[in-house]
């Protein structure tokens, strides 16, 4: 019997739309981590988990977990899920789809009368989105033993430490110095693509082969403020000119690397600050923050060497100083487990759903769970690639396809892992 046939698209869609309505008044669709609205969503999820026959608990990292015991003792746990928190004015599907597809898979298995050999857990990770503590993937970091003492001491604008907030969510932050799980055998996460590739290729499923690393570089040029009308062009120390040169280099070089077959490469200068930022003053300083996302570690290291050299050249050409070239943050790319990726593809084929292999340019909880066990992801299309926006949209059919592939893959993992 194939439990994927017992996935109920209407049931899944009703859950998605109901959870979307648990939002801050006048701000669709907002459930910020650690907030009262987030806890409202958690209580609703716990009720749905319980109705599906799952036993619920909060782990040491404040993750909500629903569990169904397997038929064979000692085999370990197969886990699926994502997160239910959102960015401000975010969407109805980012993270939420992964939690509810996992719930629907658990219900489909129950409705088919099937019990996995492994224990099955559905997880809602705490605070995957960047929080008011300036940190993302808090729950999955905590589970993996990757939430440092320094990070737990981070303070929110209202004065609460992250450790205190985790405790308020029901966790035990004093237990997070080491990985919390040794029983996990596999982790699968369904997610909207947050890009346009699947929609453009008219494909219903993506099997994610890797999650790109994210490196953020702060660059600061120092020049001299002068009168914009009286300072000759060849006598200026214009910090903005150096910044403009670097911005152009970042876009051009990232595009070249992306076309060269060296994996997934994107780079964005999303923060540009000019001082004194007046129309009649030659800029004294220019600050840029570059966001680089690459699936191959060697590529980003080479790119950073080229970027730093380009900054020195730009500073020299503009007669300014390169005052700062600093890594603000740096996470390494994570390869998804090849066996799980293959199973996702086979599950899609078995269900008559075409798929492609692809890299995720966004970060996900799966990247931290991969430190504990083999992990992989299933992508489904989202309209126009939009995400982190009230207009984020996934069709009922695409949502159901994600749940069906997940349900099939869970059965295959249970048999082979």
């Amino acid at each position: 019997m194939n439990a994927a046939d017992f996935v109920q698209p209407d049931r899944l869609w009703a859950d998605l739309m109901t959870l979307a309505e648990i939002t801050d008044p006048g701000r669709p669709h907002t459930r910020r981590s650690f907030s009262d609205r987030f806890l409202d969503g958690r209580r609703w999820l716990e009720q749905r988990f319980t109705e599906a026959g799952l036993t619920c608990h909060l782990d040491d990292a404040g993750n909500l977990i629903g569990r169904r015991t397997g038929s064979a003792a000692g085999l370990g746990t197969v886990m699926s899920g994502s997160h239910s928190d959102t960015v401000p004015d975010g969407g109805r599907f980012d993270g939420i789809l992964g939690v509810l597809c996992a719930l629907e898979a658990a219900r489909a298995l129950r409705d088919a009368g099937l019990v996995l050999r492994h224990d099955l857990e559905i997880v809602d990770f705490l605070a995957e989105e960047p929080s008011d503590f300036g940190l993302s993937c808090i729950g999955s970091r905590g589970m993996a033993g990757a939430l440092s003492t320094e990070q737990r001491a981070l303070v929110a604008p209202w004065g609460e430490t992250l450790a205190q907030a985790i405790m308020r969510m029901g966790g035990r932050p004093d237990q997070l110095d080491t990985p919390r799980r040794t029983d996990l055998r596999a982790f699968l996460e369904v997610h909207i693509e947050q890009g346009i590739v699947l929609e453009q290729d008219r494909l219903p499923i993506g099997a994610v082969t890797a999650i790109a690393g994210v490196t953020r570089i702060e660059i600061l040029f120092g020049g001299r403020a002068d009168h914009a009308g009286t300072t000759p062009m060849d006598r200026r120390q214009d910090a903005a000119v150096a910044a403009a040169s670097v911005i152009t280099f970042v876009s051009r070089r990232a595009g070249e690397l992306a076309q060269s077959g060296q994996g997934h490469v994107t780079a964005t200068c999303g923060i540009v600050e000019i001082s004194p930022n007046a129309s009649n003053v030659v800029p004294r300083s220019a600050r840029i923050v570059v966001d680089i996302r690459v699936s191959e570690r060697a590529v980003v290291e080479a790119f950073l060497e080229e970027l730093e050299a380009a900054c020195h050249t730009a500073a020299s050409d503009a007669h300014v100083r390169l005052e700062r070239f600093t890594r603000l943050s740096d996470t390494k790319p994570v390869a998804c487990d090849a066996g799980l990726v293959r199973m996702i593809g086979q599950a899609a084929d078995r269900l008559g759903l075409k798929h492609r292999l692809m890299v995720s340019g966004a970060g996900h909880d799966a990247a931290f769970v991969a430190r504990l066990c083999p992990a992989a992801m299933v992508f489904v299309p989202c309209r126009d690639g939009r995400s982190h926006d009230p207009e984020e949209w996934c069709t009922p059919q695409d949502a159901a396809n994600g749940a069906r592939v997940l349900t099939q893959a869970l059965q295959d993992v249970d048999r082979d892992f």
Side-chain angles (χ1 to χ4, degrees):
M1 185 177 294
N2 190 347
D5 296 335
F6 287 79
V7 166
Q8 295 185 25
D10 291 345
R11 179 170 59 186
L12 171 60
W13 190 253
D15 280 347
L16 286 163
M17 295 301 102
T18 300
L19 186 53
E21 293 304 312
I22 303 176
T23 180
D24 286 349
R27 298 193 68 187
H29 300 275
T30 303
R31 279 187 316 282
R32 299 291 286 140
S33 56
F34 304 106
S35 70
D36 290 342
R37 202 68 62 225
F38 172 73
L39 289 172
D40 289 341
R42 271 273 173 97
R43 282 187 284 270
W44 181 86
L45 274 174
E46 184 174 1
Q47 179 182 353
R48 299 302 280 165
F49 284 9
T50 301
E51 291 171 354
L54 304 174
T55 302
C56 294
H57 71 280
L58 291 163
D59 73 0
D60 292 338
N63 302 309
L64 174 64
I65 296 175
R67 180 181 178 86
R68 179 179 295 151
T69 303
S71 62
L75 287 184
T77 303
V78 174
M79 176 180 282
S80 182
S82 193
H83 63 96
S84 66
D85 66 309
T86 75
V87 298
D89 302 312
R92 286 165 276 195
F93 303 94
D94 175 7
I96 294 94
L97 180 67
V99 177
L100 293 179
C101 278
L103 172 60
E104 182 58 29
R107 291 187 296 211
L109 288 163
R110 177 201 62 189
D111 294 348
L114 296 177
V115 178
L116 300 183
R117 297 184 309 138
H118 293 79
D119 297 332
L120 173 66
E121 289 189 350
I122 311 306
V123 59
D124 172 32
F125 286 110
L126 177 65
E128 189 271 355
E129 301 290 1
S131 65
D132 289 309
F133 296 94
L135 191 67
S136 61
C137 295
I138 289 171
S140 52
R141 287 176 191 265
M143 182 182 286
L147 193 63
S148 68
T149 301
E150 292 75 19
Q151 289 169 332
R152 280 175 272 160
L154 292 169
V155 180
W158 56 85
E160 185 178 38
T161 67
L162 177 54
Q164 291 169 334
I166 292 172
M167 189 178 302
R168 180 164 56 84
M169 293 296 104
R172 298 196 299 169
D174 58 324
Q175 299 296 310
L176 300 181
D177 291 322
T178 57
R180 309 314 302 150
R181 303 295 294 267
T182 59
D183 62 311
L184 297 181
R185 299 296 174 261
F187 175 76
L188 295 173
E189 179 174 359
V190 178
H191 210 280
I192 57 170
E193 180 194 344
Q194 299 180 284
I196 60 174
V197 174
L198 290 175
E199 184 179 59
Q200 286 189 340
D201 290 352
R202 298 183 178 181
L203 292 172
I205 296 294
V208 179
T209 59
I211 300 169
V214 182
T215 303
R216 292 193 176 100
I217 302 296
E218 180 186 40
I219 301 165
L220 180 65
F221 291 107
R224 192 179 79 181
D226 282 305
H227 195 289
T230 61
T231 307
M233 297 303 292
D234 62 348
R235 302 293 180 87
R236 297 183 176 209
Q237 299 175 38
D238 189 335
V241 170
S245 175
V246 169
I247 292 169
T248 301
F249 169 82
V250 166
S251 179
R252 176 183 58 79
R253 186 60 182 139
E256 292 171 349
L257 291 170
Q259 295 297 318
S260 68
Q262 298 187 63
H264 176 94
V265 181
T266 63
T268 307
C269 297
I271 295 176
V272 181
E273 298 173 345
I274 305 298
S275 179
N277 200 33
S279 63
N280 62 344
V281 181
V282 175
R284 176 190 298 110
S285 68
R287 174 177 177 264
I288 311 168
V289 176
V290 188
D291 178 297
I292 305 169
R293 302 186 182 223
V294 176
S295 60
E296 304 297 329
R297 186 64 183 181
V299 174
V300 74
E301 293 294 349
F303 187 16
L304 290 176
E305 289 183 9
E306 294 180 27
L307 176 57
E308 186 168 13
C311 287
H312 284 291
T313 299
S316 177
D317 290 347
H319 309 293
V320 301
R321 303 174 304 281
L322 175 60
E323 295 185 343
R324 193 177 306 154
F325 186 93
T326 305
R327 296 195 194 195
L328 295 178
S329 60
D330 193 12
T331 60
K332 295 180 179 180
V334 174
C336 293
D337 181 77
L340 288 181
V341 174
R342 184 172 59 255
M343 285 184 178
I344 290 169
Q346 291 171 346
D349 290 342
R350 192 172 295 120
L351 296 168
L353 298 170
K354 294 183 178 180
H355 74 282
R356 62 163 290 164
L357 302 179
M358 59 194 311
V359 172
S360 172
H364 297 285
D365 289 309
F368 287 97
V369 185
R371 302 186 184 194
L372 300 171
C373 67
M377 297 187 67
V378 179
F379 274 179
V380 299
C382 55
R383 186 171 62 196
D384 297 329
R386 296 183 70 174
S387 184
H388 289 184
D389 182 270
E391 298 303 314
E392 176 183 275
W393 187 256
C394 170
T395 69
Q397 185 60 59
D398 285 328
N401 286 340
R404 293 177 65 217
V405 170
L406 174 63
T407 305
Q408 181 64 63
L410 286 173
Q411 293 173 91
D412 296 342
V413 168
D414 184 55
R415 181 192 63 233
D416 295 341
F417 270 62

